[in-house]
């Protein structure tokens, strides 16, 4: 098998240019591609389209790109917890398409699976349905189309040189779907393992969907709201 | 007198048979998970990709990759599973989740819900709420009865942008429990010392 291993973020992301569409995994700050995002924030980029559930949160993650005015258009489902984004939306400094989270994940999955569009009841009778075809099944449904990207930047706990991935706990979220939907998927891992080390039946995402992989470093793994109980 | 938030959470739980699968929204609904007995028989789903949410972690159990949809640290119960967002919303949209409990800004007498934006003032986004109200078998809204400015959040017709049209089954407020019934709010139960006369008029039904 041809190795897809790159040395670091700057090598793996070398061809990302202004105007690209980039999917970025993670739910809030859980499971985000920290190294790739930090590297992009140092680049001279503009007019990016970003597809990500939250576009960062609490001043971190993709907010670094927001603050440098690199993002022209964003697709996301949730703005709460991201005052930098909310402010830019009200000031009309960014074009945001809010997509219901289930429709968001399914539009991304559809792109990876070769499905061009699908009907869903989600959003019928709301602003989300405006301008969309409505069809009556057991109840009215709206037509939603697949969501593609030039690049996906995602993070996994473990991965091998073919790009087979294993995610930890709830860090999986949108990442495997985005990996399937992008032309070039760039993965950073906490542990780059030898081929064969991941058991075939334990692989969450087969490597066919991954083009580049690198060993990440210095993970912050930020917790947004730490809640604990007493003994 | 009205119910405290924790009493409201108990009233919500009273509406849900043991063994049910439940998705809990951000805000008030999170309180429901905090009053669950340790050996409860509910299956808690969180749309970020976990079925079988357990109690809060002990300090030494905290994991940054183990959170609920409110981005709060959690644990899992024996039998829990993790999955991606598409599968998670398949559970919701496919009708596999019995109850969803969501916060609200307005609910109207036709059962429509508004809870994701106040034009020009506040924008949280809908997150998973639009999928939840269309997918869960039963939708319960948990919210304060009156806004900060004293206006009823139970209205004839929502004037805020909708989350879903005719999707709500029951509402638990600090004043009582209400059910949507033929274009009216049927009073199921009132908090102690709350008088029925507070809910007169065309909108309510005893």
């Amino acid at each position: 098998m041809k190795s897809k291993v790159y040395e670091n973020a700057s090598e793996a992301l070398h061809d990302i240019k202004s105007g690209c569409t980039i999917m970025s995994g993670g739910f809030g700050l859980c499971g985000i591609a920290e190294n790739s995002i930090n590297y992009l924030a140092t680049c001279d980029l503009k007019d990016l389209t970003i597809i990500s559930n939250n576009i960062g949160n609490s001043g971190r993650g993709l907010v670094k790109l927001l603050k440098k005015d690199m993002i022209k258009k964003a697709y996301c489902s949730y703005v709460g917890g991201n005052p930098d984004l909310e402010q830019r939306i009200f000031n009309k400094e960014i074009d945001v398409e809010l997509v219901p989270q289930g429709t968001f994940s399914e539009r991304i999955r559809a792109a990876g699976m070769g499905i061009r569009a699908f009907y869903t009841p989600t959003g019928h009778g709301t602003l989300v349905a405006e301008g969309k075809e409505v069809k009556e099944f057991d109840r009215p449904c709206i037509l939603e189309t697949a969501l593609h990207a030039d690049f996906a930047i995602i993070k996994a706990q473990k991965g091998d040189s073919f790009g087979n991935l294993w995610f930890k706990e709830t860090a999986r979220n949108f990442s495997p779907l985005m990996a399937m939907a992008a032309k070039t998927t760039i993965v950073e891992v906490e542990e780059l393992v030898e081929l064969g080390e991941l058991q075939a039946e334990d692989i969450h995402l087969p490597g066919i969907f991954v083009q580049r992989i690198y060993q990440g470093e210095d993970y912050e793994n930020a917790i947004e709201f730490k809640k604990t109980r007493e003994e | 007198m009205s119910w405290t938030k924790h009493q409201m959470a108990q009233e919500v739980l009273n509406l849900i048979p043991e063994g049910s699968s439940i998705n809990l929204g951000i805000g008030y609904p999170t309180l429901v998970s905090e009053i669950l007995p340790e050996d409860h028989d509910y299956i808690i789903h969180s749309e970020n990709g976990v079925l079988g949410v357990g109690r809060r972690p002990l300090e030494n159990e905290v994991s940054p990759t183990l959170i609920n949809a409110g981005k709060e640290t959690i644990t899992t119960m024996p039998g829990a599973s993790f999955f991606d967002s598409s599968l998670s919303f398949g559970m919701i949209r496919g009708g596999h989740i019995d109850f969803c409990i969501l916060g609200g800004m307005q609910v109207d007498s036709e059962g429509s819900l508004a809870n994701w934006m106040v034009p020009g003032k506040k924008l949280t986004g809908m997150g998973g709420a639009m999928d939840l109200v269309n997918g869960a078998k039963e939708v319960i809204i948990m919210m304060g009865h009156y806004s900060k400015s004293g206006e009823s959040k139970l209205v004839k017709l929502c004037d805020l942008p909708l989350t879903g049209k005719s999707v709500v089954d029951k509402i638990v407020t600090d004043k009582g429990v209400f059910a949507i019934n033929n274009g009216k709010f049927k009073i199921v139960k009132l908090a102690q010392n709350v008088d029925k006369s507070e809910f007169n008029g065309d909108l309510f039904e005893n």
Side-chain angles (χ1 to χ4, degrees):
Chain A
M1 284 176 185
K2 181 174 173 282
S3 174
K4 301 169 182 176
V5 177
Y6 282 67
E7 214 29 57
N8 51 38
S10 70
E11 284 192 13
L13 280 72
H14 65 95
D15 52 351
I16 294 191
K17 297 197 166 57
S18 293
C20 282
T21 298
I22 306 171
M23 287 177 174
S24 183
F27 189 95
L29 299 174
C30 180
I32 60 171
E34 293 185 28
N35 285 223
S36 291
I37 292 168
N38 287 341
Y39 172 71
L40 288 179
T42 67
C43 297
D44 183 21
L45 294 168
K46 59 182 170 62
D47 297 335
L48 297 176
T49 295
I50 301 287
I51 300 168
S52 166
N53 191 53
N54 307 78
I55 322 288
N57 246 18
S58 320
R60 291 181 279 192
L62 290 167
V63 175
K64 293 172 185 169
L65 274 56
L66 263 184
K67 284 183 169 170
K68 292 192 170 174
D69 298 318
M70 293 181 181
I71 307 175
K72 183 182 180 187
K73 172 148 182 127
Y75 293 80
C76 62
S77 86
Y78 198 70
V79 180
N82 193 344
D84 299 284
L85 179 60
E86 188 178 6
Q87 200 55 46
R88 279 169 172 76
I89 295 172
F90 282 136
N91 294 346
K92 297 191 164 48
E93 292 163 357
I94 187 170
D95 177 14
V96 167
E97 182 173 332
L98 279 165
V99 186
Q101 204 168 112
T103 299
F104 180 79
S105 49
E106 200 60 18
R107 287 178 70 186
I108 297 168
R109 194 188 77 94
M113 298 289 101
I115 305 291
R116 270 57 177 178
F118 56 91
Y119 289 98
T120 176
T122 302
H124 173 68
T126 76
L127 291 177
V128 166
E130 279 185 4
K132 289 175 187 161
E133 184 192 325
V134 178
K135 190 165 177 173
E136 184 74 32
F137 292 87
D138 57 322
R139 53 189 163 133
C141 291
I142 59 175
L143 185 67
E144 295 280 4
T145 54
L147 205 48
H148 298 265
D150 301 312
F151 295 92
I153 50 171
I154 65 169
K155 184 218 172 174
Q157 183 68 27
K158 296 181 190 178
D160 63 28
S161 59
F162 181 59
N164 292 313
L165 304 182
W166 184 88
F167 297 89
K168 192 175 176 193
E169 299 173 324
T170 55
R172 196 180 322 183
N173 51 68
F174 305 92
S175 296
L177 312 167
M178 291 176 168
M180 298 188 289
K183 281 186 212 131
T184 303
T185 291
I186 303 163
V187 186
E188 56 181 271
V189 288
E190 293 219 7
E191 300 166 61
L192 188 61
V193 301
E194 294 293 321
L195 263 188
E197 204 170 308
L198 293 173
Q199 290 296 309
E201 51 272 78
D202 291 341
I203 288 168
H204 294 147
L205 182 81
I208 193 114
F209 299 111
V210 171
Q211 281 69 45
R212 302 172 194 170
I213 187 165
Y214 69 94
Q215 168 76 59
E217 58 186 18
D218 299 333
Y219 282 103
E220 186 183 0
N221 287 323
I223 294 173
E224 287 181 63
F225 302 104
K226 185 169 149 184
K227 297 271 179 103
T228 55
R229 68 172 202 273
E230 302 292 318
E231 284 283 357
Chain B
M1 280 288 285
S2 33
W3 284 323
T4 63
K5 288 178 194 175
H6 279 91
Q7 286 172 314
M8 286 166 65
Q10 189 57 56
E11 293 298 331
V12 169
L13 205 51
N14 292 347
L15 298 172
I16 304 176
E18 280 211 44
S20 303
S21 52
I22 315 173
N23 181 290
L24 297 170
I26 297 169
Y28 276 24
T30 323
L31 293 170
V32 175
S33 67
E34 288 178 7
I35 61 160
L36 288 174
E38 199 176 325
D39 57 346
H40 72 79
D41 191 26
Y42 297 101
I43 302 146
I44 309 292
H45 172 266
S46 200
E47 64 267 28
N48 56 314
V50 50
L51 186 66
V53 176
R55 294 191 293 167
R56 297 293 182 199
L58 293 168
E59 183 68 35
N60 63 7
E61 291 175 333
V62 169
S63 165
T65 46
L66 186 46
I67 60 165
N68 63 18
K71 290 108 183 172
E72 302 166 341
T73 50
I74 54 167
T75 60
T76 51
M77 306 274 285
S81 53
F82 299 117
F83 32 84
D84 67 52
S85 302
S86 173
L87 193 72
S88 187
F89 278 92
M91 286 182 198
I92 293 166
R93 213 188 303 99
H96 309 284
I97 301 290
D98 296 319
F99 289 85
C100 87
I101 323 297
L102 289 169
M105 295 175 184
Q106 284 180 333
V107 177
D108 71 27
S109 54
E110 288 171 1
S112 295
L113 168 71
N115 76 348
W116 66 283
M117 80 177 289
V118 181
K121 285 188 186 158
K122 188 181 176 197
L123 180 66
T124 60
M126 66 293 280
M130 286 192 184
D131 306 277
L132 281 159
V133 296
N134 281 289
K137 288 183 196 146
E138 198 164 327
V139 176
I140 301 174
I141 304 304
M142 184 179 170
M143 63 181 187
H145 199 100
Y146 297 101
S147 69
K148 279 177 192 149
S149 54
E151 287 167 49
S152 177
K153 295 187 186 178
L154 271 54
V155 296
K156 183 159 178 58
L157 213 56
C158 292
D159 51 23
L160 295 173
L162 294 186
T163 305
K165 202 171 161 63
S166 303
V167 289
V168 175
D169 297 289
K170 294 194 177 86
I171 308 119
V172 175
T173 75
D174 49 330
K175 298 293 178 188
V177 180
F178 305 85
I180 301 295
N181 189 31
N182 291 325
K184 292 194 175 197
F185 297 107
K186 185 177 170 56
I187 300 172
V188 178
K189 183 179 180 180
L190 289 176
Q192 63 277 17
N193 302 323
V194 171
D195 197 89
K196 271 184 188 173
S197 61
E198 196 174 332
F199 307 108
N200 276 337
D202 293 345
L203 276 186
F204 293 90
E205 176 189 305
N206 285 318

